[in-house]
Amino acid sequence: MTPRLILIPLLISAVIASTGHVLAQDKGTLDPKPLPPLANPNDPKIGAKELFGRKLLPAAMPTRVVGFYAKGCIAGAEALPINGDTWQVMRLSRNRNWAHPDMVELLERLSVKAHKDAGWPGILVGDMAQPRGGPMITGHASHQVGLDADVWLTPMPNRRLSREEREEMSAVMMVRSDRLDVDPKVWTPGHLKVIRDAAMEPRVERIFVNAAIKKALCRDAKGDRSWLSKIRPMYGHDYHFHVRITCPAGAKECVSQPPPADSEGCGPSDFAYWFKDSVIHPKPSKEPSKPSHPMTLSQLPPDCRQVLAAPDARQ
Ligand SMILES: [Zn+2]
């Protein structure tokens, strides 16, 4: 493994350790309380997540993606409707079903494909972005620019879920208890089909899944395997997969990331890091984790101030 490949997971684990991690199965509430007003919203040291987390609607501005997946914001985001023929949005209390219109359209299309190809009634959609993107108070280092979305690895049931179920229902754990493979009791050919459908979308740049899931995809994929290069092992992602799309054409302020290498990423060396005992069973750290310094507004691209200050878009 090259030093660069080692460094990336380390950096990511540092981010997860410092921000805490909201999981797909974390429950929501039927009675979300608005966040209390900030005593001093102009304090330059205040976390940008406190500011973006208090915006309930998108900015009334033309659609603009500003910055990078893990450091940015979005104006003119669109909501994925909470119910479609072939999708339902989960954890409505989080108000994170916002994204760039291209992502909304992609999820709708993907849900139809999942229905046709895997025979699923549809897909359950988890966190996308906040109405104006930006950092979040809980979970996710990325999901900041409306180009990331989490899709549950649990098929949509063949009925409309209640509000309560959308907050309380748990996704199915796909990884076997030894963390080295998927759980054969729950992993099905349909899972591969849905993930493959997503990966085959030209705008999809990366898909994050647990390493055990990538291993299963490597083993099970038949025929054209080129899409496997987009599937990237990642911490968490035992219950859902994370779809990331490229910057929209002409979005000059959107910071792209290099496309993944062409290789399938299915060789033993690709998994060596992920299946190390220290990664599968991380030791709890002895020292309490230091409080992290949240990203401030001045660390985001300057135009995110404008996005934050704009009036609410009418929905
Ligand atoms: Zn995600």
Side-chain angles (χ1 to χ4, degrees):
M1 199 190 281
T2 66
R4 195 176 69 96
L5 288 176
I6 295 169
L7 189 61
I8 293 167
L10 288 178
L11 284 173
I12 292 160
S13 70
V15 167
I16 290 170
S18 67
T19 57
H21 202 63
V22 77
L23 302 165
Q25 73 279 16
D26 282 355
K27 294 190 169 123
T29 170
L30 273 179
D31 180 25
K33 300 274 185 292
L35 292 165
L38 292 166
N40 186 1
N42 297 319
D43 179 351
K45 288 204 283 294
I46 206 163
K49 61 186 178 183
E50 301 291 346
L51 305 168
F52 281 95
R54 281 170 171 76
K55 293 293 176 189
L56 304 180
L57 286 167
M61 292 168 68
T63 303
R64 261 168 82 179
V65 174
V66 183
F68 186 63
Y69 302 95
K71 199 181 248 194
C73 61
I74 177 171
E78 209 177 85
L80 176 67
I82 63 170
N83 295 305
D85 288 343
T86 46
W87 76 85
Q88 295 180 48
V89 175
M90 302 300 284
R91 304 295 190 260
L92 302 176
S93 61
R94 296 186 187 174
N95 193 27
R96 291 180 181 171
N97 57 319
W98 301 88
H100 189 277
D102 292 355
M103 176 59 98
V104 172
E105 193 196 319
L106 183 135
L107 289 169
E108 295 183 4
R109 195 169 55 241
L110 177 62
S111 74
V112 173
K113 282 190 180 175
H115 177 67
K116 276 200 203 124
D117 296 345
W120 289 13
I123 57 172
L124 298 176
V125 179
D127 282 0
M128 296 161 62
Q130 300 177 126
R132 301 187 192 195
M136 297 180 184
I137 289 175
T138 52
H140 306 298
S142 65
H143 290 254
Q144 294 194 22
V145 287
L147 304 176
D148 292 288
D150 289 342
V151 177
W152 284 31
L153 285 164
T154 306
M156 184 184 93
N158 201 5
R159 62 187 174 82
R160 180 75 53 92
L161 293 169
S162 68
R163 298 296 273 223
E164 191 167 26
E165 286 172 308
R166 293 182 202 224
E167 302 296 344
E168 301 272 325
M169 196 180 125
S170 293
V172 175
M173 165 54 113
M174 303 307 300
V175 179
R176 204 170 65 189
S177 57
D178 67 5
R179 314 282 304 154
L180 295 171
D181 211 317
V182 291
D183 181 348
K185 292 195 289 295
V186 293
W187 179 256
T188 66
H191 288 95
L192 179 141
K193 288 179 185 151
V194 173
I195 296 172
R196 183 181 60 197
D197 281 342
M200 302 274 267
E201 285 282 341
R203 280 291 300 283
V204 169
E205 188 199 57
R206 279 168 166 70
I207 292 176
F208 300 116
V209 293
N210 181 278
I213 294 174
K214 167 102 197 205
K215 181 173 154 184
L217 296 171
C218 288
R219 181 174 55 224
D220 298 347
K222 303 277 181 292
D224 176 10
R225 292 170 58 91
S226 61
W227 55 276
L228 285 166
S229 65
K230 294 186 186 177
I231 313 290
R232 316 278 288 181
M234 187 51 65
Y235 300 94
H237 299 85
D238 303 0
Y239 300 78
H240 72 273
F241 65 102
H242 173 143
V243 180
R244 171 169 295 174
I245 62 173
T246 55
C247 284
K252 290 196 190 72
E253 301 153 298
C254 180
V255 180
S256 60
Q257 119 187 85
D262 280 342
S263 73
E264 291 176 3
C266 291
S269 65
D270 297 301
F271 292 110
Y273 168 81
W274 295 101
F275 292 135
K276 278 195 329 196
D277 199 53
S278 58
V279 173
I280 290 180
H281 302 113
K283 283 206 190 83
S285 61
K286 285 181 201 120
E287 287 162 39
S289 55
K290 291 188 199 123
S292 59
H293 296 286
M295 199 182 285
T296 59
L297 199 49
S298 60
Q299 291 171 288
L300 293 175
D303 284 357
C304 286
R305 282 180 196 275
Q306 224 181 308
V307 172
L308 200 57
D312 286 342
R314 265 196 258 160
Q315 291 293 312

